[in-house]
Amino acid sequence: MSVTLESPATTRPLQRLALDITRACQAQCTHCYNQSGPQGTAGEMTREDWLSLLDQAAALGVRQVQLIGGEPTLHPDLSDLITRAVDHGIAVEVFTNLIHVRAALWPVLRQRGVTLATSYYSDQPEEHEAITQQRGSYRRTKANIARALLYRIPVRAAIVHVREGQHADEAAAQLREMGVTNIRTDRLREIGRGADTDDTHQLTELCGQCARGRAAVLPNGEVAGCVMSGSMLTAGNARTTPLAQIVTSPQWAALTAAIPQPLAGAHDACTPDSCTPNEDSCQPSPGNIPFGELAYTVTACGPDQDGSDCAPAEQEACGPSY
């Protein structure tokens, strides 16, 4: 895919914000892009820091917040964060492995405007768990997908091709049989534990949309262009500097310009709806997504050969050219 550097002058207003609220996770996936696991922590950001950040996001006109990790359900303040975002009218996606969901959390997840995303690797328990490094994760994740669908919580599933001969197609078929219609796939990105070496600064492995109307805040408060690039480039710390100041700063403009972008003109009407460290797939799923009085229409676009381009839920899909 051809790339060009984006001029800082074309930096877009912030529309999507990923909150990487913890690096703690029950699983220790072999390819985890931010290297989360049982030894991970929630970092320096406090409950008040995250709530303040959501207030700032609303003031900036952010339309979608993704709560991710690590495993966000392990964070003690997840319910408060979801509710604060919903109160602001911000759509919320919780990206969770669905290995364990506390009973008290389900009513929070059933609020209007809240959706779930999860990773699913195979229809074979042994293969799925060889990737997650967590015994029983296949059964628990599958059961909680079924429970979320029973509760009418929208679920999207991400399948990353991690292993040779992986039963990814079979996993997708199984998900469809369960009732999941929003399924995305991606190749393995050489970032974090997905890299062959200890060098995690693989800018060319990014989808090219970091900092384009989006930002991510890490557990230590550092602000990056997306969760995938958090180990590579940051432009300030939300614990000490207002988010609005960070995303309009020269440092943010320099960060944006440093990330390889799709060919000029190809992205003017097409940006991905969500690139995450657990799946990083930007393929669209057709359909209508209700949120309050709004109904976003999503139609298929023309992704490039590795599936890293799509249309967001807020606008009609496009047909990018490369």
Side-chain angles (χ1 to χ4, degrees), residues 11-12 14-20 23 33-34 45 50 53 62 66 68 191 201 203 206 209-239 241-243 246-249 251-259 261 275 277:
T11 300
R12 295 179 174 178
L14 195 61
Q15 293 184 329
R16 296 179 182 83
L17 184 64
L19 304 186
D20 186 355
R23 294 295 169 82
Y33 296 142
N34 63 17
M45 289 286 284
W50 288 121
L53 197 59
V62 169
Q66 183 184 66
I68 194 169
I191 298 173
H201 293 66
L203 288 174
L206 300 172
Q209 302 294 348
C210 294
R212 295 185 56 77
R214 70 179 60 204
V217 182
L218 311 183
N220 61 4
E222 288 294 303
V223 181
C226 65
V227 285
M228 291 287 288
S229 64
S231 64
M232 309 177 201
L233 296 169
T234 58
N237 194 292
R239 295 179 67 224
T241 307
L243 184 61
I246 293 174
V247 298
T248 56
S249 67
Q251 291 82 1
W252 185 258
L255 178 153
T256 302
I259 297 173
Q261 303 289 339
C275 287

Side-chain angles (χ1 to χ4, degrees), residues 95 102 141 263 271:
F95 201 113
R102 301 185 308 275
T141 297
L263 188 65
T271 56

Side-chain angles (χ1 to χ4, degrees), residues 57-321:
L60 285 170
V62 169
R63 303 178 67 176
Q64 182 187 59
V65 165
Q66 183 184 66
L67 300 173
I68 194 169
E71 176 46 42
T73 63
L74 295 178
H75 197 285
D77 302 316
L78 177 63
S79 294
D80 291 342
L81 303 186
I82 294 172
T83 299
R84 179 64 64 90
V86 169
D87 287 346
H88 280 305
I90 301 174
V92 178
E93 179 183 77
V94 181
F95 201 113
T96 165
N97 57 37
L98 288 176
I99 290 175
H100 177 69
V101 180
R102 301 185 308 275
L105 185 58
W106 284 111
V108 180
L109 297 175
R110 295 178 70 177
Q111 295 180 89
R112 182 181 294 273
V114 180
T115 64
L116 294 177
T118 193
S119 297
Y120 204 75
Y121 301 106
S122 175
D123 67 336
Q124 304 295 312
E126 297 81 5
E127 184 173 53
H128 180 95
E129 293 169 13
I131 294 171
T132 65
Q133 299 291 291
Q134 174 66 30
R135 185 176 180 181
S137 60
Y138 171 84
R139 175 181 56 81
R140 294 170 187 167
T141 297
K142 185 179 178 183
N144 280 320
I145 290 174
R147 186 171 186 177
L149 294 172
L150 180 66
Y151 286 152
R152 295 184 171 274
I153 303 172
V155 176
R156 73 178 176 94
I159 303 173
V160 179
H161 291 268
V162 177
R163 296 157 57 104
E164 188 72 27
Q166 181 179 334
H167 290 70
D169 291 342
E170 292 83 356
Q174 186 178 70
L175 288 165
R176 284 191 291 270
E177 289 175 1
M178 294 172 63
V180 179
T181 59
N182 192 337
I183 303 170
R184 308 174 186 188
T185 62
D186 193 35
R187 66 175 175 85
L188 176 67
R189 307 276 173 169
E190 293 191 15
I191 298 173
R193 285 201 290 266
D196 291 333
T197 68
D198 291 335
D199 180 12
T200 62
H201 293 66
Q202 301 290 336
L203 288 174
T204 58
E205 287 295 284
L206 300 172
C207 74
Q209 302 294 348
C210 294
R212 295 185 56 77
R214 70 179 60 204
V217 182
L218 311 183
N220 61 4
E222 288 294 303
V223 181
C226 65
V227 285
M228 291 287 288
S229 64
S231 64
M232 309 177 201
L233 296 169
T234 58
N237 194 292
R239 295 179 67 224
T240 57
T241 307
L243 184 61
Q245 183 175 329
I246 293 174
V247 298
T248 56
S249 67
Q251 291 82 1
W252 185 258
L255 178 153
T256 302
I259 297 173
Q261 303 289 339
L263 188 65
H267 54 259
D268 291 341
C270 185
T271 56
D273 63 348
S274 184
C275 287
T276 75
N278 292 335
E279 54 92 18
D280 190 37
S281 177
C282 299
Q283 300 180 48
S285 283
N288 292 321
I289 302 175
F291 177 55
E293 299 300 320
L294 303 176
Y296 303 141
T297 299
V298 185
T299 56
C301 71
D304 69 355
Q305 62 263 24
D306 69 0
S308 63
D309 233 346
C310 75
E314 292 84 0
Q315 66 189 44
E316 292 295 329
C318 67
S321 59

